[in-house]
Amino acid sequence: MAKLRSWTQIWRSIVGMCILNSVLNFKIVTLADDTGSNSIVSEGDCKNTNYQIFLPPPYQNISSTICKPVWHSYELRYTKTGDTTTIILSAPYTVGWVGIGFSRDGMMAGSSAMVGWVNKHGHAKVKQFYLRGRRQSEVIVDKGELPLNNIPAAVATNGAEIYVAFQLQATTPFGKQPILLAFSTKRPLNHHLSKHEDKTAVIFDFSSGSTGPVSNWLIQIRKSHGIVGVLGWGLILPVGAIIARYFRHKDPLWFYLHSVIQFVGFAFGLATVLLGLQLYRSVHVHIPAHRGIGIFVLVLSILQILAFFLRPDKDSKFRNIWNLYHSWFGRMALFFAALNIVLGMRAAGAGNGWKISYGFLVSIVLVAVIVLEVMAYLKRSQKRSLPHTFQMDPVGEATFPTNLAKAG
């Protein structure tokens, strides 16, 4: 028994050193990636256009704006007055529609856009659209997350250019914001947008007016954040929990398997949080529910790791309390992790491939848990129904027939 305890202590020390080394190495890589910089588009001057002549008030009353070229001949003007940010997009135009979208991560799905056009009767139109997905049916008119104020948006043409103007009301100042630019030469039909003919995504810094492309590494971080999170919290940690609950008869193998798998799952979960923080620092993705639950699940995971090192002996009076704490905190962490994966997919506008894959993974885990739980219940029922084939006599009572003593 003493030998087994010494091996357990050595095992805990080795695993702890490996986890600490992995965390430090990942953090160093993360900080190194942060030092990279995006290429900046040339900040050439905008065309000297007196837009105050053709735009309606209050846009014609704006005295000065910051203007930057953003894509081809597209120019973005903006100005701030208190909590109000006025934005004016100008673009080449003959027919069709022109749009500017605001995205959390540079992707179309999940973004909100202001789209302007001139219909066949010559009337200027501007609408907000919510881009729920990639299909045309998932582009919803008069919906979106842009904090528009009570001032109506405006659209006007001047020569061969179109101007889309609107105001945003936000207490939090805009910083680096991924924006989407797109156009089509086909007019919207009954407020249904035709597919864009060209598009781009750039990061526009509203604090300095600089622009830069949404780089591939940013998209890769976003994908890695989702993949690592699904693998860690959606697969590895549930498997470790299943082993701890249903394979305790394989002692001590179950304990070592459970420990190794959960430490690997914790490393994946920690990497998910670090990737999410890096994504937040890069583009200031503001998803408070997803971010808050992710940090909460990480705290629960850290408490589980601490519980491993503070695990009392089997004969300790605190062992039952520890068992309840460890099992229920683990279940709570898995529940909120699964919920957060769903929230993350929804916020990112994940495609059907992501949803089907995660749904399939959850289904397999649930089916495995149900089957193992039923088998465990039947096994317990079978043990309770077995007859007692051998019974010892109570200590201190006579074990021989009394008539033998009388015969003597």
Side-chain angles (χ1 to χ4, degrees), residues 102-351:
F102 291 74
S103 171
R104 294 189 179 97
D105 50 14
M107 307 299 290
M108 183 186 76
S111 63
S112 301
M114 296 298 294
V115 179
W117 70 93
V118 178
N119 63 19
K120 62 182 180 180
H121 303 294
H123 299 152
K125 300 288 184 178
V126 58
K127 292 285 185 179
Q128 181 180 189
F129 289 83
Y130 178 63
L131 286 66
R132 187 172 60 187
R134 297 178 179 274
R135 290 194 291 265
Q136 188 175 1
S137 59
E138 294 177 312
V139 180
I140 306 172
V141 66
D142 289 329
K143 297 291 184 180
E145 300 175 348
L146 294 178
L148 299 172
N149 62 8
N150 295 327
I151 304 299
V155 171
T157 57
N158 181 40
E161 288 188 318
I162 189 171
Y163 289 77
V164 180
F166 55 95
Q167 290 186 340
L168 303 178
Q169 193 82 21
T171 56
T172 304
F174 287 96
K176 291 182 178 180
Q177 171 65 49
I179 61 174
L180 309 173
L181 302 168
F183 72 89
S184 173
T185 57
K186 296 180 180 179
R187 293 188 181 95
L189 182 61
N190 296 326
H191 295 157
H192 293 293
L193 295 182
S194 57
K195 186 177 180 180
H196 57 261
E197 297 181 13
D198 199 3
K199 66 178 179 66
T200 189
V202 299
I203 297 178
F204 192 88
D205 191 348
F206 282 92
S207 61
S208 64
S210 61
T211 59
V214 177
S215 57
N216 291 330
W217 72 268
L218 189 61
I219 298 175
Q220 187 60 43
I221 287 178
R222 176 177 174 267
K223 290 182 179 179
S224 299
H225 174 70
I227 293 173
V228 175
V230 170
L231 289 178
W233 281 329
L235 177 63
I236 299 176
L237 289 173
V239 169
I242 288 173
I243 290 176
R245 179 167 177 80
Y246 301 108
F247 294 92
R248 286 179 175 267
H249 57 283
K250 301 291 185 180
D251 194 33
L253 178 62
W254 77 266
F255 173 75
Y256 294 113
L257 285 176
H258 174 68
S259 301
V260 171
I261 292 174
Q262 296 307 83
F263 272 112
V264 172
F266 171 76
F268 272 71
L270 180 62
T272 303
V273 173
L274 293 177
L275 287 170
L277 291 176
Q278 188 175 10
L279 193 63
Y280 176 78
R281 287 194 300 266
S282 300
V283 295
H284 298 283
V285 180
H286 185 62
I287 314 174
H290 180 66
R291 187 183 181 199
I293 294 176
I295 295 175
F296 175 66
V297 173
L298 177 65
V299 171
L300 292 178
S301 301
I302 293 174
L303 291 176
Q304 292 293 80
I305 295 297
L306 294 177
F308 172 80
F309 293 102
L310 300 176
R311 180 171 175 257
D313 294 331
K314 290 184 178 180
D315 54 353
S316 173
K317 62 181 180 179
F318 300 106
R319 184 58 180 263
N320 289 335
I321 298 175
W322 183 91
N323 287 336
L324 290 173
Y325 151 77
H326 186 60
S327 60
W328 282 106
F329 269 54
R331 291 165 184 164
M332 188 163 54
L334 291 177
F335 170 77
F336 280 101
L339 174 64
N340 209 32
I341 290 174
V342 174
L343 290 177
M345 288 185 176
R346 181 179 179 182

